[in-house]
């Protein structure tokens, strides 16, 4: 057993603390809001963490929209010219499914 300064033989375990030894931080994607969902003419992406880029792909993987977001916290995407359907919105931090309705 150890308290950080003193080491001993066996002792009763009553508590322990773990460290983030993997170096993986909390998923920033959890701090992203998309609205309105579903959307028709516009999708707003709002993040607590700056976003560098956004890419909207259809379900076949074809890129239908790419935005260089320049570390913005709020981005407004025009979806007016997209056909109704399901798309994947990607950034360096997250992937989210969105639906475009007409």
């Amino acid at each position: 057993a150890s308290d950080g300064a003193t080491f001993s033989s066996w002792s009763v375990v009553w508590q322990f603390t773990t460290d983030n030894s993997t170096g993986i931080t909390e998923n920033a994607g959890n701090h992203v809001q998309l609205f309105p969902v579903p959307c028709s003419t516009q999708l707003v992406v709002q993040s607590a963490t700056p976003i560098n880029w956004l890419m909207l792909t259809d379900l076949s993987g074809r890129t239908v929209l790419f935005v260089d977001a320049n570390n913005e916290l709020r981005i407004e995407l025009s979806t007016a010219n997209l056909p109704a359907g399901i798309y994947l919105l990607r950034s360096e931090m997250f992937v989210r499914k969105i639906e475009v309705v007409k």
Side-chain angles (χ1 to χ4, degrees):
S2 169
D3 66 1
T6 307
F7 293 90
S8 69
S9 310
W10 297 94
S11 66
V12 176
V13 177
W14 58 276
Q15 83 178 48
F16 66 92
T17 309
T18 60
D19 188 12
N20 188 5
S21 60
T22 63
I24 298 172
T25 57
E26 183 179 337
N27 183 353
N30 294 333
H31 302 290
V32 174
Q33 296 177 323
L34 305 176
F35 54 91
V37 177
C39 63
S40 59
T41 60
Q42 184 178 53
L43 177 69
V44 177
V45 181
Q46 192 163 310
S47 175
T49 306
I51 299 172
N52 293 317
W53 55 268
L54 290 171
M55 180 171 51
L56 192 64
T57 61
D58 61 18
L59 293 182
S60 68
R62 185 177 58 97
T63 300
V64 295
L65 181 64
F66 184 86
V67 175
D68 185 2
N70 296 316
N71 293 317
E72 294 291 330
L73 298 176
R74 180 184 169 97
I75 300 107
E76 296 178 8
L77 300 175
S78 174
T79 56
N81 294 328
L82 295 176
I86 303 294
Y87 296 86
L88 295 177
L89 180 65
R90 304 170 188 266
S91 82
E92 69 277 12
M93 301 179 300
F94 64 88
V95 176
R96 296 281 178 87
K97 180 180 82 168
I98 65 162
E99 182 179 3
V100 174
V101 296
K102 299 298 175 176

